Structures are given as structure tokens and as C-alpha cells.
């Protein structure tokens, strides 16, 4: 149980320090902000791509994306 408490305390402490570390990394050289932005886009896209079907699987009504088999092309 003590190891679990230590893990949670360290995890929360590191989460608090993380914004400052991102600032140091982003200002390290001219390409770092671009690399971080592209990485952020990849992560957000992946989360959205998996989150949409997950919400649908949980039974939350979502709008349909694209045409279904019953839609006719005119």
C-alpha cells in the first residue's frame, strides 16, 4: 500500500511540474515548438478517432458521419 501512495504522490508532483518542463523544451531551439505542435495534433487526432466510436459504443447518440447504406447518391 505504501508503494501505491508513493506512486500517486510522485505522479501528481510530476504533473504539477510538467508545464514548466514543456516551456523549457519548447524554447530550446526554433524547431521544438513546431515539433511539439505536430505531436499534439497527432495525439488529439488519435484520441478523437478512438473517442468517437467509444462514445457510440457506450450508447451515447452521436450524429452520423458520412453516408450509410440507405442513403442514395443523386
Amino acid at each position: 500500500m505504501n508503494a501505491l501512495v508513493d506512486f500517486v504522490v510522485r505522479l501528481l508532483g510530476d504533473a504539477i511540474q510538467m508545464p514548466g518542463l514543456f516551456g523549457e523544451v519548447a524554447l530550446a531551439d526554433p524547431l521544438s515548438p513546431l515539433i511539439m505542435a505536430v505531436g499534439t495534433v497527432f495525439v488529439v487526432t488519435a484520441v478523437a478517432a478512438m473517442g468517437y466510436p467509444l462514445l457510440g459504443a457506450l450508447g451515447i447518440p452521436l450524429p452520423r458521419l458520412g453516408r450509410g447504406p440507405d442513403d442514395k447518391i443523386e
Side-chain angles (χ1 to χ4, degrees):
M1 186 67 177
N2 191 19
L4 178 63
V5 172
D6 291 340
F7 172 73
V8 171
V9 168
R10 179 153 183 200
L11 185 65
L12 292 175
D14 289 347
I16 292 170
Q17 293 176 351
M18 196 61 64
L21 295 175
F22 276 126
E24 291 176 15
V25 171
L27 299 175
D29 63 71
L31 286 179
S32 292
L34 178 65
I35 293 170
M36 289 181 70
V38 170
T40 300
V41 168
F42 282 143
V43 170
V44 168
T45 303
V47 169
M50 293 307 295
Y52 189 82
L54 174 68
L55 292 175
L58 292 174
I60 299 170
L62 298 170
R64 289 177 49 186
L65 298 176
R67 291 189 302 268
D70 57 344
D71 294 338
K72 295 180 181 177
I73 300 174
E74 295 182 32

